[in-house]
Amino acid sequence: MSILQLPIPEIFLYSIAAAAILIYAPFLLVAYARAQIGYDISAPRAMFDKLPLYAQRATWAHQNSFEAFMIFVAAALMAYVTGVDSSMGAMAAIAFITARLLYSIFYILNIPLLRSLMFGIGSFSSATLFYLSIMQQG
């Protein structure tokens, strides 16, 4: 079954779960890098400066994912609660997940232009869900 075959309210809920998982995906590289340099359990945050650049960027992608997640969850829950039932809403939720996955990849690979593009697509996707929710009530 394709995700597009799911009922639209389910797409909103699954996309929230996927977005939560995506927060931690970049951190897997950070954990790998920490293991490579020797994990200091007494001062884990102090290790940041010792991490290779890709792991530092992965940390920043991880942190930015928390910020984007809060906005998206509010937008997706608004769409769910207000009964948004449009393919545009479903595509916005899917676009957010896709963009955030690619955002982390492009951040870690240090491709700023594509990273910024994915940030914009993710932000526009959240804004679309807010808009559709408000219009649903109008």
Side-chain angles (χ1 to χ4, degrees):
M1 173 184 279
S2 165
I3 190 163
L4 292 174
Q5 293 174 322
L6 293 172
I8 292 171
E10 284 185 37
I11 291 174
F12 296 144
L13 296 179
Y14 283 125
S15 66
I16 291 170
I21 292 167
L22 285 176
I23 291 172
Y24 293 97
F27 207 71
L28 294 173
L29 283 177
V30 177
Y32 172 77
R34 284 180 171 180
Q36 295 297 307
I37 64 172
Y39 190 78
D40 182 359
I41 197 165
S42 65
R45 293 190 188 265
M47 295 178 62
F48 180 78
D49 292 332
K50 298 176 188 172
L51 293 175
L53 291 177
Y54 76 86
Q56 290 179 3
R57 290 190 300 271
T59 300
W60 297 324
H62 168 69
Q63 292 168 343
N64 182 269
S65 294
F66 279 110
E67 298 164 11
F69 178 74
M70 291 184 281
I71 295 167
F72 175 70
V73 168
L77 286 176
M78 276 181 64
Y80 180 81
V81 169
T82 60
V84 170
D85 193 26
S86 71
S87 60
M88 183 184 290
M91 292 307 294
I94 294 166
F96 178 86
I97 298 304
T98 305
R100 290 307 301 182
L101 172 64
L102 293 172
Y103 172 88
S104 291
I105 291 169
F106 293 144
Y107 207 145
I108 293 164
L109 295 176
N110 198 23
I111 307 172
L113 181 63
L114 293 178
R115 177 191 81 214
S116 296
L117 178 62
M118 293 305 109
F119 180 85
I121 291 171
S123 297
F124 183 75
S125 297
S126 292
T128 298
L129 291 173
F130 280 126
Y131 173 80
L132 291 173
S133 300
I134 291 167
M135 289 298 104
Q136 183 74 15
Q137 297 306 298

